[in-house]
PDB file of all heavy atoms in Angstrom:
ATOM      1  N   GLN A  19       5.542  27.415 -41.199  1.00  0.00           N
ATOM      2  CA  GLN A  19       4.536  28.215 -41.797  1.00  0.00           C
ATOM      3  C   GLN A  19       4.217  27.645 -43.207  1.00  0.00           C
ATOM      4  O   GLN A  19       3.102  27.597 -43.673  1.00  0.00           O
ATOM      5  CB  GLN A  19       4.981  29.673 -41.889  1.00  0.00           C
ATOM      6  CG  GLN A  19       4.761  30.464 -40.614  1.00  0.00           C
ATOM      7  CD  GLN A  19       5.812  30.067 -39.527  1.00  0.00           C
ATOM      8  OE1 GLN A  19       6.890  29.711 -39.868  1.00  0.00           O
ATOM      9  NE2 GLN A  19       5.415  30.125 -38.271  1.00  0.00           N
ATOM     10  N   MET A  67      -0.203  17.050 -33.906  1.00  0.00           N
ATOM     11  CA  MET A  67      -1.504  17.611 -33.539  1.00  0.00           C
ATOM     12  C   MET A  67      -2.568  17.162 -34.454  1.00  0.00           C
ATOM     13  O   MET A  67      -3.741  16.973 -34.034  1.00  0.00           O
ATOM     14  CB  MET A  67      -1.394  19.116 -33.567  1.00  0.00           C
ATOM     15  CG  MET A  67      -2.693  19.846 -33.173  1.00  0.00           C
ATOM     16  SD  MET A  67      -2.579  21.575 -33.116  1.00  0.00           S
ATOM     17  CE  MET A  67      -2.659  21.968 -34.798  1.00  0.00           C
ATOM     18  N   PHE A  88      19.301  27.594 -27.256  1.00  0.00           N
ATOM     19  CA  PHE A  88      17.995  27.622 -26.582  1.00  0.00           C
ATOM     20  C   PHE A  88      16.811  27.427 -27.597  1.00  0.00           C
ATOM     21  O   PHE A  88      15.858  26.683 -27.349  1.00  0.00           O
ATOM     22  CB  PHE A  88      17.822  28.915 -25.814  1.00  0.00           C
ATOM     23  CG  PHE A  88      16.478  29.174 -25.264  1.00  0.00           C
ATOM     24  CD1 PHE A  88      16.063  28.486 -24.142  1.00  0.00           C
ATOM     25  CD2 PHE A  88      15.577  30.109 -25.833  1.00  0.00           C
ATOM     26  CE1 PHE A  88      14.739  28.712 -23.671  1.00  0.00           C
ATOM     27  CE2 PHE A  88      14.332  30.297 -25.376  1.00  0.00           C
ATOM     28  CZ  PHE A  88      13.911  29.643 -24.254  1.00  0.00           C
ATOM     29  N   THR A  89      16.988  28.125 -28.733  1.00  0.00           N
ATOM     30  CA  THR A  89      15.904  28.017 -29.771  1.00  0.00           C
ATOM     31  C   THR A  89      15.606  26.564 -30.093  1.00  0.00           C
ATOM     32  O   THR A  89      14.425  26.167 -30.172  1.00  0.00           O
ATOM     33  CB  THR A  89      16.394  28.769 -31.032  1.00  0.00           C
ATOM     34  OG1 THR A  89      16.977  30.040 -30.629  1.00  0.00           O
ATOM     35  CG2 THR A  89      15.208  29.011 -31.967  1.00  0.00           C
ATOM     36  N   SER A  99       7.559  16.804 -25.268  1.00  0.00           N
ATOM     37  CA  SER A  99       6.438  16.849 -24.333  1.00  0.00           C
ATOM     38  C   SER A  99       5.141  16.536 -25.005  1.00  0.00           C
ATOM     39  O   SER A  99       4.191  16.043 -24.380  1.00  0.00           O
ATOM     40  CB  SER A  99       6.322  18.243 -23.689  1.00  0.00           C
ATOM     41  OG  SER A  99       5.933  19.218 -24.696  1.00  0.00           O
ATOM     42  N   GLN A 100       5.076  16.646 -26.347  1.00  0.00           N
ATOM     43  CA  GLN A 100       3.811  16.313 -27.028  1.00  0.00           C
ATOM     44  C   GLN A 100       3.795  14.806 -27.350  1.00  0.00           C
ATOM     45  O   GLN A 100       2.661  14.258 -27.445  1.00  0.00           O
ATOM     46  CB  GLN A 100       3.703  17.085 -28.352  1.00  0.00           C
ATOM     47  CG  GLN A 100       3.467  18.541 -28.147  1.00  0.00           C
ATOM     48  CD  GLN A 100       2.052  18.792 -27.651  1.00  0.00           C
ATOM     49  OE1 GLN A 100       1.792  18.737 -26.439  1.00  0.00           O
ATOM     50  NE2 GLN A 100       1.135  19.161 -28.483  1.00  0.00           N
ATOM     51  N   ASN A 124      21.885  29.042 -17.629  1.00  0.00           N
ATOM     52  CA  ASN A 124      20.767  29.834 -18.257  1.00  0.00           C
ATOM     53  C   ASN A 124      19.461  29.429 -17.703  1.00  0.00           C
ATOM     54  O   ASN A 124      19.060  28.262 -17.865  1.00  0.00           O
ATOM     55  CB  ASN A 124      20.821  29.634 -19.785  1.00  0.00           C
ATOM     56  CG  ASN A 124      19.773  30.386 -20.489  1.00  0.00           C
ATOM     57  OD1 ASN A 124      18.836  30.895 -19.890  1.00  0.00           O
ATOM     58  ND2 ASN A 124      19.905  30.486 -21.791  1.00  0.00           N
ATOM     59  N   LYS A 164       9.396  28.137  -8.952  1.00  0.00           N
ATOM     60  CA  LYS A 164       8.010  27.749  -9.011  1.00  0.00           C
ATOM     61  C   LYS A 164       7.828  26.506 -10.003  1.00  0.00           C
ATOM     62  O   LYS A 164       6.965  25.715  -9.728  1.00  0.00           O
ATOM     63  CB  LYS A 164       7.031  28.877  -9.476  1.00  0.00           C
ATOM     64  CG  LYS A 164       7.299  29.450 -10.883  1.00  0.00           C
ATOM     65  CD  LYS A 164       6.401  30.628 -11.172  1.00  0.00           C
ATOM     66  CE  LYS A 164       6.675  31.177 -12.526  1.00  0.00           C
ATOM     67  NZ  LYS A 164       6.071  32.479 -12.751  1.00  0.00           N
ATOM     68  N   LYS A 172       4.645  15.817 -10.016  1.00  0.00           N
ATOM     69  CA  LYS A 172       4.786  14.712 -10.985  1.00  0.00           C
ATOM     70  C   LYS A 172       5.804  13.732 -10.581  1.00  0.00           C
ATOM     71  O   LYS A 172       5.658  12.547 -10.758  1.00  0.00           O
ATOM     72  CB  LYS A 172       5.224  15.337 -12.345  1.00  0.00           C
ATOM     73  CG  LYS A 172       4.106  16.102 -12.971  1.00  0.00           C
ATOM     74  CD  LYS A 172       3.094  15.354 -13.656  1.00  0.00           C
ATOM     75  CE  LYS A 172       1.994  16.195 -14.204  1.00  0.00           C
ATOM     76  NZ  LYS A 172       1.169  15.542 -15.154  1.00  0.00           N
ATOM     77  N   GLU A 209      -2.952  19.186  -4.325  1.00  0.00           N
ATOM     78  CA  GLU A 209      -3.150  17.950  -5.185  1.00  0.00           C
ATOM     79  C   GLU A 209      -2.815  16.745  -4.335  1.00  0.00           C
ATOM     80  O   GLU A 209      -3.564  15.772  -4.348  1.00  0.00           O
ATOM     81  CB  GLU A 209      -2.193  18.012  -6.336  1.00  0.00           C
ATOM     82  CG  GLU A 209      -2.746  18.813  -7.524  1.00  0.00           C
ATOM     83  CD  GLU A 209      -4.047  18.331  -8.069  1.00  0.00           C
ATOM     84  OE1 GLU A 209      -4.319  17.065  -7.990  1.00  0.00           O
ATOM     85  OE2 GLU A 209      -4.799  19.121  -8.648  1.00  0.00           O
ATOM     86  N   ASN A 318     -23.366  30.413 -15.898  1.00  0.00           N
ATOM     87  CA  ASN A 318     -22.321  29.665 -15.150  1.00  0.00           C
ATOM     88  C   ASN A 318     -22.626  29.706 -13.693  1.00  0.00           C
ATOM     89  O   ASN A 318     -22.414  28.715 -12.981  1.00  0.00           O
ATOM     90  CB  ASN A 318     -20.933  30.286 -15.448  1.00  0.00           C
ATOM     91  CG  ASN A 318     -20.529  30.094 -16.873  1.00  0.00           C
ATOM     92  OD1 ASN A 318     -20.934  29.022 -17.435  1.00  0.00           O
ATOM     93  ND2 ASN A 318     -19.805  31.020 -17.400  1.00  0.00           N
ATOM     94  N   TYR A 321     -25.538  27.574 -12.769  1.00  0.00           N
ATOM     95  CA  TYR A 321     -25.116  26.180 -12.788  1.00  0.00           C
ATOM     96  C   TYR A 321     -24.430  25.786 -11.520  1.00  0.00           C
ATOM     97  O   TYR A 321     -24.769  24.787 -10.868  1.00  0.00           O
ATOM     98  CB  TYR A 321     -24.190  25.926 -13.975  1.00  0.00           C
ATOM     99  CG  TYR A 321     -23.600  24.534 -14.058  1.00  0.00           C
ATOM    100  CD1 TYR A 321     -24.313  23.504 -14.717  1.00  0.00           C
ATOM    101  CD2 TYR A 321     -22.383  24.272 -13.513  1.00  0.00           C
ATOM    102  CE1 TYR A 321     -23.750  22.256 -14.795  1.00  0.00           C
ATOM    103  CE2 TYR A 321     -21.778  23.045 -13.634  1.00  0.00           C
ATOM    104  CZ  TYR A 321     -22.510  21.997 -14.257  1.00  0.00           C
ATOM    105  OH  TYR A 321     -21.977  20.733 -14.291  1.00  0.00           O
ATOM    106  N   ASP A 353     -30.998  26.143 -20.899  1.00  0.00           N
ATOM    107  CA  ASP A 353     -29.724  25.480 -20.903  1.00  0.00           C
ATOM    108  C   ASP A 353     -29.923  24.020 -20.239  1.00  0.00           C
ATOM    109  O   ASP A 353     -30.397  23.882 -19.210  1.00  0.00           O
ATOM    110  CB  ASP A 353     -28.717  26.229 -20.021  1.00  0.00           C
ATOM    111  CG  ASP A 353     -27.357  25.628 -20.066  1.00  0.00           C
ATOM    112  OD1 ASP A 353     -27.225  24.477 -20.565  1.00  0.00           O
ATOM    113  OD2 ASP A 353     -26.417  26.242 -19.616  1.00  0.00           O
ATOM    114  N   ARG A 359     -29.031  19.812 -13.715  1.00  0.00           N
ATOM    115  CA  ARG A 359     -28.690  20.132 -12.255  1.00  0.00           C
ATOM    116  C   ARG A 359     -29.929  20.247 -11.356  1.00  0.00           C
ATOM    117  O   ARG A 359     -30.017  19.769 -10.306  1.00  0.00           O
ATOM    118  CB  ARG A 359     -27.836  21.395 -12.152  1.00  0.00           C
ATOM    119  CG  ARG A 359     -26.513  21.304 -12.715  1.00  0.00           C
ATOM    120  CD  ARG A 359     -25.602  20.633 -11.711  1.00  0.00           C
ATOM    121  NE  ARG A 359     -24.696  19.770 -12.409  1.00  0.00           N
ATOM    122  CZ  ARG A 359     -24.703  18.411 -12.257  1.00  0.00           C
ATOM    123  NH1 ARG A 359     -25.599  17.849 -11.475  1.00  0.00           N
ATOM    124  NH2 ARG A 359     -23.883  17.674 -12.953  1.00  0.00           N
TER     125      ARG A 359
ATOM    126  N   ILE B  17      -3.289  21.247 -29.270  1.00  0.00           N
ATOM    127  CA  ILE B  17      -3.699  20.259 -28.278  1.00  0.00           C
ATOM    128  C   ILE B  17      -2.556  20.002 -27.297  1.00  0.00           C
ATOM    129  O   ILE B  17      -1.446  20.015 -27.662  1.00  0.00           O
ATOM    130  CB  ILE B  17      -4.066  18.900 -28.964  1.00  0.00           C
ATOM    131  CG1 ILE B  17      -2.952  18.387 -29.763  1.00  0.00           C
ATOM    132  CG2 ILE B  17      -5.373  19.093 -29.706  1.00  0.00           C
ATOM    133  CD1 ILE B  17      -3.137  17.027 -30.310  1.00  0.00           C
ATOM    134  N   ARG B  18      -2.990  19.890 -26.067  1.00  0.00           N
ATOM    135  CA  ARG B  18      -1.921  19.707 -25.052  1.00  0.00           C
ATOM    136  C   ARG B  18      -2.511  18.742 -24.038  1.00  0.00           C
ATOM    137  O   ARG B  18      -3.405  19.110 -23.228  1.00  0.00           O
ATOM    138  CB  ARG B  18      -1.694  21.095 -24.440  1.00  0.00           C
ATOM    139  CG  ARG B  18      -0.864  21.168 -23.128  1.00  0.00           C
ATOM    140  CD  ARG B  18       0.582  21.018 -23.368  1.00  0.00           C
ATOM    141  NE  ARG B  18       0.941  19.583 -23.580  1.00  0.00           N
ATOM    142  CZ  ARG B  18       2.153  19.147 -23.727  1.00  0.00           C
ATOM    143  NH1 ARG B  18       3.197  19.976 -23.860  1.00  0.00           N
ATOM    144  NH2 ARG B  18       2.372  17.885 -23.781  1.00  0.00           N
ATOM    145  N   GLN B  29      -7.278  12.232 -31.135  1.00  0.00           N
ATOM    146  CA  GLN B  29      -8.104  12.782 -32.178  1.00  0.00           C
ATOM    147  C   GLN B  29      -9.561  12.507 -31.775  1.00  0.00           C
ATOM    148  O   GLN B  29     -10.450  13.333 -32.013  1.00  0.00           O
ATOM    149  CB  GLN B  29      -7.799  12.203 -33.551  1.00  0.00           C
ATOM    150  CG  GLN B  29      -6.451  12.618 -34.062  1.00  0.00           C
ATOM    151  CD  GLN B  29      -6.261  14.076 -34.215  1.00  0.00           C
ATOM    152  OE1 GLN B  29      -7.195  14.783 -34.762  1.00  0.00           O
ATOM    153  NE2 GLN B  29      -5.127  14.691 -33.816  1.00  0.00           N
ATOM    154  N   CYS B  47     -24.362  27.759 -20.108  1.00  0.00           N
ATOM    155  CA  CYS B  47     -23.168  27.782 -19.217  1.00  0.00           C
ATOM    156  C   CYS B  47     -22.018  27.111 -19.833  1.00  0.00           C
ATOM    157  O   CYS B  47     -22.108  26.340 -20.729  1.00  0.00           O
ATOM    158  CB  CYS B  47     -23.573  27.187 -17.830  1.00  0.00           C
ATOM    159  SG  CYS B  47     -23.631  25.372 -17.793  1.00  0.00           S
ATOM    160  N   ASN B  48     -20.801  27.418 -19.251  1.00  0.00           N
ATOM    161  CA  ASN B  48     -19.538  26.976 -19.857  1.00  0.00           C
ATOM    162  C   ASN B  48     -19.031  25.746 -19.299  1.00  0.00           C
ATOM    163  O   ASN B  48     -17.874  25.398 -19.501  1.00  0.00           O
ATOM    164  CB  ASN B  48     -18.565  28.088 -19.769  1.00  0.00           C
ATOM    165  CG  ASN B  48     -18.991  29.351 -20.403  1.00  0.00           C
ATOM    166  OD1 ASN B  48     -19.930  30.084 -19.935  1.00  0.00           O
ATOM    167  ND2 ASN B  48     -18.376  29.732 -21.499  1.00  0.00           N
ATOM    168  N   GLU B  51     -20.456  18.283 -18.317  1.00  0.00           N
ATOM    169  CA  GLU B  51     -20.037  16.980 -17.788  1.00  0.00           C
ATOM    170  C   GLU B  51     -20.478  15.950 -18.809  1.00  0.00           C
ATOM    171  O   GLU B  51     -21.302  16.273 -19.625  1.00  0.00           O
ATOM    172  CB  GLU B  51     -20.667  16.699 -16.420  1.00  0.00           C
ATOM    173  CG  GLU B  51     -20.063  17.467 -15.327  1.00  0.00           C
ATOM    174  CD  GLU B  51     -20.965  17.616 -14.135  1.00  0.00           C
ATOM    175  OE1 GLU B  51     -21.170  16.646 -13.440  1.00  0.00           O
ATOM    176  OE2 GLU B  51     -21.541  18.693 -14.006  1.00  0.00           O
ATOM    177  N   SER B  80     -10.463  19.024  -8.631  1.00  0.00           N
ATOM    178  CA  SER B  80      -9.674  19.858  -7.792  1.00  0.00           C
ATOM    179  C   SER B  80      -9.560  21.322  -8.301  1.00  0.00           C
ATOM    180  O   SER B  80      -9.063  22.129  -7.663  1.00  0.00           O
ATOM    181  CB  SER B  80      -8.272  19.302  -7.624  1.00  0.00           C
ATOM    182  OG  SER B  80      -7.546  19.453  -8.785  1.00  0.00           O
ATOM    183  N   PHE B 111      -0.602  29.447 -37.694  1.00  0.00           N
ATOM    184  CA  PHE B 111       0.755  29.508 -38.237  1.00  0.00           C
ATOM    185  C   PHE B 111       1.780  29.537 -37.142  1.00  0.00           C
ATOM    186  O   PHE B 111       2.993  29.322 -37.460  1.00  0.00           O
ATOM    187  CB  PHE B 111       0.959  30.747 -39.140  1.00  0.00           C
ATOM    188  CG  PHE B 111       0.286  30.590 -40.471  1.00  0.00           C
ATOM    189  CD1 PHE B 111      -0.921  31.194 -40.803  1.00  0.00           C
ATOM    190  CD2 PHE B 111       0.853  29.644 -41.426  1.00  0.00           C
ATOM    191  CE1 PHE B 111      -1.520  31.055 -41.995  1.00  0.00           C
ATOM    192  CE2 PHE B 111       0.193  29.480 -42.633  1.00  0.00           C
ATOM    193  CZ  PHE B 111      -0.956  30.184 -42.956  1.00  0.00           C
ATOM    194  N   GLY B 126       2.513  20.910 -16.682  1.00  0.00           N
ATOM    195  CA  GLY B 126       2.227  19.521 -16.224  1.00  0.00           C
ATOM    196  C   GLY B 126       0.824  19.346 -15.680  1.00  0.00           C
ATOM    197  O   GLY B 126       0.609  18.597 -14.783  1.00  0.00           O
ATOM    198  N   GLU B 131       1.114  30.051 -13.493  1.00  0.00           N
ATOM    199  CA  GLU B 131       1.191  31.526 -13.337  1.00  0.00           C
ATOM    200  C   GLU B 131      -0.137  32.050 -13.743  1.00  0.00           C
ATOM    201  O   GLU B 131      -0.715  31.691 -14.800  1.00  0.00           O
ATOM    202  CB  GLU B 131       2.355  32.143 -14.093  1.00  0.00           C
ATOM    203  CG  GLU B 131       2.551  33.611 -13.876  1.00  0.00           C
ATOM    204  CD  GLU B 131       2.843  33.976 -12.418  1.00  0.00           C
ATOM    205  OE1 GLU B 131       3.861  33.699 -11.870  1.00  0.00           O
ATOM    206  OE2 GLU B 131       1.927  34.606 -11.820  1.00  0.00           O
ATOM    207  N   THR B 132      -0.693  32.996 -12.972  1.00  0.00           N
ATOM    208  CA  THR B 132      -1.965  33.602 -13.455  1.00  0.00           C
ATOM    209  C   THR B 132      -1.817  35.062 -13.688  1.00  0.00           C
ATOM    210  O   THR B 132      -2.758  35.744 -14.066  1.00  0.00           O
ATOM    211  CB  THR B 132      -3.050  33.383 -12.312  1.00  0.00           C
ATOM    212  OG1 THR B 132      -2.490  33.836 -11.112  1.00  0.00           O
ATOM    213  CG2 THR B 132      -3.479  31.912 -12.207  1.00  0.00           C
ATOM    214  N   MET B 147      15.708  36.073 -26.289  1.00  0.00           N
ATOM    215  CA  MET B 147      16.914  35.149 -26.266  1.00  0.00           C
ATOM    216  C   MET B 147      16.989  34.423 -27.541  1.00  0.00           C
ATOM    217  O   MET B 147      18.079  34.260 -28.132  1.00  0.00           O
ATOM    218  CB  MET B 147      16.730  34.188 -25.115  1.00  0.00           C
ATOM    219  CG  MET B 147      17.972  33.987 -24.366  1.00  0.00           C
ATOM    220  SD  MET B 147      17.781  32.760 -23.127  1.00  0.00           S
ATOM    221  CE  MET B 147      18.689  31.500 -23.834  1.00  0.00           C
ATOM    222  N   GLU B 148      15.894  33.986 -28.062  1.00  0.00           N
ATOM    223  CA  GLU B 148      15.877  33.223 -29.311  1.00  0.00           C
ATOM    224  C   GLU B 148      16.378  34.168 -30.413  1.00  0.00           C
ATOM    225  O   GLU B 148      17.214  33.723 -31.210  1.00  0.00           O
ATOM    226  CB  GLU B 148      14.407  32.835 -29.607  1.00  0.00           C
ATOM    227  CG  GLU B 148      14.362  31.841 -30.691  1.00  0.00           C
ATOM    228  CD  GLU B 148      12.934  31.310 -30.846  1.00  0.00           C
ATOM    229  OE1 GLU B 148      12.479  30.577 -29.970  1.00  0.00           O
ATOM    230  OE2 GLU B 148      12.245  31.694 -31.821  1.00  0.00           O
ATOM    231  N   GLU B 151      20.043  34.598 -30.399  1.00  0.00           N
ATOM    232  CA  GLU B 151      20.779  33.421 -30.936  1.00  0.00           C
ATOM    233  C   GLU B 151      20.695  33.411 -32.448  1.00  0.00           C
ATOM    234  O   GLU B 151      21.629  33.027 -33.074  1.00  0.00           O
ATOM    235  CB  GLU B 151      20.052  32.160 -30.359  1.00  0.00           C
ATOM    236  CG  GLU B 151      20.623  31.726 -29.043  1.00  0.00           C
ATOM    237  CD  GLU B 151      19.938  30.469 -28.515  1.00  0.00           C
ATOM    238  OE1 GLU B 151      19.062  29.908 -29.234  1.00  0.00           O
ATOM    239  OE2 GLU B 151      20.299  30.024 -27.434  1.00  0.00           O
TER     240      GLU B 151
END
Side-chain angles (χ1 to χ4, degrees):
Chain A
Q19 281 74 31
M67 178 177 81
F88 171 73
T89 315
S99 70
Q100 289 291 81
N124 180 344
K164 67 184 178 193
K172 294 279 177 164
E209 278 299 331
N318 293 329
Y321 174 87
D353 186 349
R359 288 281 140 250
Chain B
I17 54 171
R18 169 79 279 182
Q29 295 300 316
C47 76
N48 300 69
E51 284 159 76
S80 74
F111 286 107
E131 185 59 70
T132 51
M147 223 182 108
E148 192 175 288
E151 275 182 358

